[in-house]
Amino acid sequence: MAASAQELDAYRGRADRFIADLDEEYYLHFAGLKETLDLEPIYERYADLTTIEQAQSIGSAVNGSNGIRELWKFACEGYLGQLTKEHEEKVARLEAELKAKVDGEEIPYRMIRPAIANEPDRARRERLERARNELVEEHLNPVYLEAHERVRAAVPTLGAENYFELYKRFNFDLEGLADQCRGFLESTEQLHGKLADKLFRDRVGVPLAEAQRWDTPRMMRGTTWDDAFPGDRMIPALRGTLADLGIDLDGQKNVHLDVENRPNKDPRAFCAPIEVPGKVMLVIKPIGGPDDWRALFHEAGHTEHFAHTSADLDVEHKRLGDNAVTEGWAMLLEHLTDEPGWLSRMLDFPKPKEYAAEGAAVLVYFVRRYCAKLLYEIEFHQAEDPRQLSSRYVELLGGALKVEPSPSDYLWDMDGRFYVHAYLRAWSLEAQLSSFLKEKFGREWYANRNAGSLLRELWGEGQRLNADELLKEVTGATIEMESVAVRAREALS
């Protein structure tokens, strides 16, 4: 039986509190303030939201309404999430507890990748990476696989043959995006080969043809630029950038910066919008250099988006909706750290155009990686036996990047909810919005308060519009993956 309007309103209120409690728990654990990730008590408090009956009831009420479709997607994801919550808790516990012993030194699991990125000795990088692979294969993959199998068995009760078909019912145009990804991979094949080869030679000292997976974090780290990106100027640069756009960071009582370096803090920066817009946490654990700056500004984009979202919106428009929108805003601020004009404005930067060219090369690398990830995940979620997909993972990712990944990462390297779909469309959204802002407000749009007023107005919409609708409303254009290649080539020229 379809949920009534009154039942949907009650569900919205409960869903808002459920997400707030989850985000607070994620924040406390991954910020290193709480040793364990305790999801079970939260799911128990909101057990009425995640039943199969609830998902089916809301699904019956959709009737073409995008808002209700978002609630239905949330109910389905909640149902699947409560089936795998103990797996998520176990993964978090293992990640916090596991250690690798390399060259007589014990290294916490979550710090292995930062250690690889900061390690100049190539042979030691290889030992660190192989130790990480062993931990993933032995301890994490059995948990991931069990969770995937549980989800796979449950999806038909939601009315779809498999996870891929379920997300198509949520209006994810996975096949259309996959076609664009194939086109992007083809159009940037030669460009990537040239740019990645130069990146690996300049940053790691090996050509692309000889690069191995343990060289990639080091290449991305860009240590040669560390002195140009001092840690003590990160927050002042963010404060100054926002001030140029008419935003007083220190006056935002709903924004909280957590930059403390705690032992168990996850090195991956994140934003936790505990209350939207009332309490938004920006969390980062610095490891040094340009990576930190990119991460800070990326998460600041999320933070400002959620902090400016109208409190009057329904939960499906302020907490749910198309995540390509918030990722697009995050990328808009992140990519300022590659802009020559911004670098010269905020820092005494030595070679801004040279760094911008490297930023374009990194962008092409990442987008090609995610194009391959989407193609892989589409196959994975339709496979009869996902355990056979590790070789396909290596084939697709290795073919796109020309550096083979570890087959042990075939489960670890997947975000749930087809989040890869959001990232890819966000890169396109950002490229096209950035071009529009430059045309409307000048190349230094980031120093124009009128641009800031427009951003605040759009942020206030939360995620009422999806990425396609937002871009259409602002620029009249449609999302095109090729716009990312155009953006990269412009930076190179």
Side-chain angles (χ1 to χ4, degrees), residues 332-344:
L332 186 70
L333 290 197
E334 175 191 349
H335 289 167
L336 288 180
T337 64
D338 290 331
E339 282 285 339
W342 183 90
L343 290 168
S344 298

Side-chain angles (χ1 to χ4, degrees), residues 248-309:
D248 177 10
L249 178 61
D250 297 323
Q252 289 183 289
K253 303 305 181 185
N254 55 341
V255 171
H256 307 270
L257 271 63
D258 182 340
V259 296
E260 188 178 335
N261 193 344
R262 305 183 191 95
N264 288 329
K265 194 177 192 180
D266 195 314
R268 185 178 181 179
F270 65 96
C271 166
I274 296 170
E275 299 291 350
V276 180
K279 183 180 181 182
V280 186
M281 312 300 296
L282 196 171
V283 187
I284 184 170
K285 181 176 183 175
I287 65 169
D291 264 359
D292 277 357
W293 283 67
R294 283 194 295 268
L296 173 66
F297 276 79
H298 182 98
E299 299 308 325
H302 285 306
T303 300
E304 293 302 327
H305 175 215
F306 290 122
H308 282 90
T309 293

Side-chain angles (χ1 to χ4, degrees), residues 79-334:
Y79 167 63
L80 298 176
Q82 63 88 16
L83 293 176
T84 58
K85 59 185 180 296
E86 67 268 30
H87 300 86
E88 190 173 354
E89 287 179 338
K90 187 172 183 180
V91 166
R93 185 173 67 253
L94 287 168
E95 287 183 348
E97 294 174 353
L98 288 174
K99 292 181 172 62
K101 196 165 187 177
V102 179
D103 302 335
E105 178 187 0
E106 276 197 341
I107 303 171
Y109 171 80
R110 286 178 176 163
M111 293 308 298
I112 296 176
R113 288 187 70 82
I116 294 170
N118 283 313
E119 179 52 63
D121 185 273
R122 196 181 188 207
R124 179 169 163 81
R125 287 203 301 272
E126 179 179 359
R127 292 192 293 275
L128 286 165
E129 169 65 10
R130 293 194 184 281
R132 187 191 70 83
N133 296 157
E134 289 172 7
L135 291 177
V136 169
E137 191 65 55
E138 180 181 353
H139 298 281
L140 298 178
N141 275 354
V143 186
Y144 288 133
L145 189 59
E146 188 176 309
H148 281 300
E149 290 295 338
R150 187 166 291 186
V151 167
R152 184 169 174 268
V155 162
T157 64
L158 298 171
E161 181 182 350
N162 54 50
Y163 201 74
F164 169 68
E165 294 295 336
L166 179 65
Y167 275 77
K168 285 172 63 178
R169 293 189 65 191
F170 295 152
N171 278 353
F172 279 43
D173 184 14
L174 296 167
E175 291 164 319
L177 186 59
D179 285 341
Q180 287 203 44
C181 286
R182 292 186 190 96
F184 183 87
L185 288 170
E186 182 178 351
S187 73
T188 59
E189 178 79 5
Q190 291 186 350
L191 179 66
H192 167 71
K194 178 181 177 181
L195 297 180
D197 183 71
K198 188 174 189 307
L199 270 181
F200 276 102
R201 288 178 186 274
D202 291 349
R203 292 185 171 190
V204 187
V206 298
L208 178 61
E210 296 176 15
Q212 300 291 336
R213 62 180 181 269
W214 45 85
D215 296 318
T216 300
R218 182 67 175 174
M219 179 273 285
M220 290 294 178
R221 173 74 172 76
T223 56
T224 54
W225 296 100
D226 278 359
D227 290 344
F229 288 98
D232 61 355
R233 294 184 66 178
M234 287 170 59
I235 302 301
L238 175 61
R239 185 180 290 114
T241 300
L242 293 176
D244 284 344
L245 291 168
I247 301 166
D248 177 10
L249 178 61
D250 297 323
Q252 289 183 289
K253 303 305 181 185
N254 55 341
V255 171
H256 307 270
L257 271 63
D258 182 340
V259 296
E260 188 178 335
N261 193 344
R262 305 183 191 95
N264 288 329
K265 194 177 192 180
D266 195 314
R268 185 178 181 179
F270 65 96
C271 166
I274 296 170
E275 299 291 350
V276 180
K279 183 180 181 182
V280 186
M281 312 300 296
L282 196 171
V283 187
I284 184 170
K285 181 176 183 175
I287 65 169
D291 264 359
D292 277 357
W293 283 67
R294 283 194 295 268
L296 173 66
F297 276 79
H298 182 98
E299 299 308 325
H302 285 306
T303 300
E304 293 302 327
H305 175 215
F306 290 122
H308 282 90
T309 293
S310 171
D312 296 330
L313 292 172
D314 288 334
V315 67
E316 55 264 44
H317 297 141
K318 67 179 181 180
R319 286 199 183 269
L320 307 178
D322 180 9
N323 284 322
V325 173
T326 191
E327 292 297 344
W329 295 129
M331 290 171 184
L332 186 70
L333 290 197
E334 175 191 349

